[in-house]
Amino acid sequence: MLFFQLALILLASKAAGSLSVRLKQPAVLGKLLVGIILGPALLGLIHETEVLEALSQIGVILLMFLAGLETDLEEFKQSGRSSTYVGFLGIILPLGLGYLAGVLLGMPVLEALFLGLLLSATSVSISVQSLKELGKLKSKEGATVLGAAVIDDVVVIILLAFVMSLAGGDVHLGMLILKKVLFFGAAILLGWKVIPWFMRKFTVLRVSETVVTAALISCFLLSHLAEYTGVAAIIGAYIAGISISRTFYKTIVTEKVETMAYALFVPVFFTTIGLKVNFSGLWSEIPLIIGLSLLAIATKLIGAALGAKASGFGWRSALGIGSAMVSRGEVALIIAAIGQEAQLIPDGLFAIIVIVVLVTTLVTPPMMKLFFADPKPENAHN
């Protein structure tokens, strides 16, 4: 059954991506819709399994690793101010209005605060693909989005620890912050000195494909280190990509990892997002789903866009940056699962939140297409 599912995913994903481009939309939109069509929401041909989830995780890791490989480090350094503005304003607005929405829905203060925190999360794994297709990944806007995503991840996780401590969870806020500081310190050291040295030493082994193997080892180890210290694994993969981009192995690693990622793992990642959609028993909650979706989209779009505008971008670029921050993706789903386990999200609301997160993910590519002014593809993968 697994082999049939993989064949169906790859066939449908590539066909839908091509159709999406013909309709003048980013290819990633079609790939996301494939999961909804093939999954439990409609045809029911494919269901989530542990194997597909594992392949999906590799897909998102490789996607962010490639984003790191293609990052202009000098542009990234120069975007620090704008990334900070985008990151913080992109948290403040959804946090505040999300909390207010929770209060209006009759939620206790702590649950309402958790809802606001959940809406503050962001995941740019989908946005990275759209940035590539729109020719913006190596631009100032792209560097700002990626930098803001790192800031958003760290701040939201620290706020999550604070809320969990108020809820009586076994969370030591000071230790959690220390672990994050240690991660970024270790990641910078590894990326600057250790990974380039490891690449040189490993590639002299007299076996095949040592260059790409060494790159993948670096990617997966930094992803694990990030996850272990409470930072999203995709941040570790991104830093590993930046590290290798500073070496003369960059071109060959990019070419080989792109082939591997876009042939199998990335299509599975996009498809499994759609597999999470299931409208069973939720039809009566459609007004709430629509309301929370609009709130999630508007607060992140406006907050991040205001941050970009305040840092010197024009309105069109600012709205493009804001739209790239809208997707909550796997980061919000992980936070929602933590909240459900801590009883900060009622079971009925959890299913609604999952749909809202997926809506934010689906609207991100066409919004980016709308706002970014110069849609010249760098290297679109259909």
Side-chain angles (χ1 to χ4, degrees):
M1 190 63 178
L2 171 64
F3 302 126
F4 170 74
Q5 289 180 328
L6 288 175
L8 187 58
I9 287 171
L10 295 178
L11 175 63
S13 178
K14 296 300 182 181
S18 178
L19 178 61
S20 187
V21 171
R22 288 177 181 272
L23 296 175
K24 301 189 184 304
Q25 292 297 321
V28 66
L29 178 62
K31 298 174 184 180
L32 290 169
L33 291 173
V34 159
I36 297 176
I37 295 169
L38 297 180
L42 291 176
L43 298 181
L45 295 176
I46 301 176
H47 294 80
E48 284 188 276
T49 65
E50 289 185 8
V51 175
L52 288 180
E53 184 62 28
L55 293 174
S56 170
Q57 287 297 308
I58 296 172
V60 68
I61 291 296
L62 294 181
L63 192 61
M64 292 304 294
F65 179 57
L66 286 167
L69 281 166
E70 297 185 30
T71 295
D72 185 328
L73 197 55
E74 290 306 313
E75 189 73 68
F76 187 78
K77 291 176 183 176
Q78 293 171 14
S79 71
R81 176 172 168 269
S82 56
S83 293
T84 302
Y85 279 37
V86 171
F88 277 97
L89 283 177
I91 290 172
I92 292 169
L93 199 60
L95 178 62
L97 293 183
Y99 168 76
L100 181 61
V103 171
L104 293 175
L105 289 171
M107 299 172 69
V109 171
L110 207 53
E111 291 185 13
L113 185 59
F114 190 86
L115 177 62
L117 180 63
L118 184 62
L119 295 181
S120 304
T122 198
S123 173
V124 295
S125 50
I126 298 298
S127 304
V128 161
Q129 180 61 21
S130 294
L131 286 167
K132 281 178 66 70
E133 293 180 25
L134 295 167
K136 294 290 184 179
L137 185 58
K138 299 178 183 178
S139 67
K140 186 177 181 181
E141 291 88 347
T144 297
V145 168
L146 290 164
V150 175
I151 292 169
D152 187 289
D153 179 72
V154 173
V155 173
V156 167
I157 292 297
I158 291 173
L159 291 175
L160 174 63
F162 178 71
V163 172
M164 295 295 290
S165 66
L166 291 177
D170 185 21
V171 177
H172 194 291
L173 189 60
M175 181 58 68
L176 187 131
I177 294 174
L178 177 61
K179 285 171 70 176
K180 281 168 180 47
V181 171
L182 289 175
F183 164 73
F184 281 102
I188 291 171
L189 177 62
L190 290 170
W192 181 36
K193 292 292 185 183
V194 179
I195 289 179
W197 172 84
F198 173 69
M199 292 287 294
R200 290 194 302 272
K201 294 299 182 181
F202 192 86
T203 51
V204 300
L205 297 179
R206 300 180 66 178
V207 289
S208 61
E209 303 296 350
T210 53
V211 173
V212 71
T213 301
L216 291 175
I217 291 170
S218 303
C219 171
F220 293 143
L221 283 178
L222 265 184
S223 298
H224 169 72
L225 181 61
E227 200 168 49
Y228 180 75
T229 54
V231 179
I234 58 176
I235 302 300
Y238 179 63
I239 293 173
I242 291 178
S243 303
I244 295 174
S245 74
R246 299 171 51 247
T247 71
F248 56 83
Y249 301 109
K250 172 183 176 178
T251 302
I252 187 170
V253 170
T254 301
E255 290 175 353
K256 298 210 171 196
V257 173
E258 272 189 347
T259 300
M260 181 192 316
Y262 286 100
L264 174 61
F265 297 105
V266 172
V268 173
F269 164 62
F270 290 139
T271 302
T272 53
I273 291 176
L275 295 181
K276 299 180 189 299
V277 176
N278 192 338
F279 296 110
S280 177
L282 290 177
W283 293 110
S284 62
E285 304 291 350
I286 291 298
L288 181 57
I289 292 172
I290 293 173
L292 285 177
S293 296
L294 291 174
L295 179 68
I297 294 165
T299 53
K300 184 64 82 170
L301 172 65
I302 295 170
L306 288 174
K309 179 63 178 174
S311 65
F313 284 98
W315 273 117
R316 192 170 184 86
S317 290
L319 288 168
I321 290 168
S323 65
M325 300 294 289
V326 164
S327 174
R328 302 320 198 270
E330 71 284 353
V331 175
L333 292 176
I334 291 169
I335 294 175
I338 293 171
Q340 186 186 37
E341 186 177 343
Q343 298 182 330
L344 289 171
I345 295 181
D347 289 342
L349 185 60
F350 178 78
I352 292 169
I353 290 296
V354 171
I355 300 297
V356 170
V357 169
L358 293 171
V359 169
T360 65
T361 302
L362 287 169
V363 302
T364 294
M367 285 175 62
M368 292 176 66
K369 173 83 172 183
L370 175 66
F371 289 124
F372 277 122
D374 186 24
K376 295 179 182 177
E378 291 176 7
N379 186 19
H381 293 266
N382 298 327

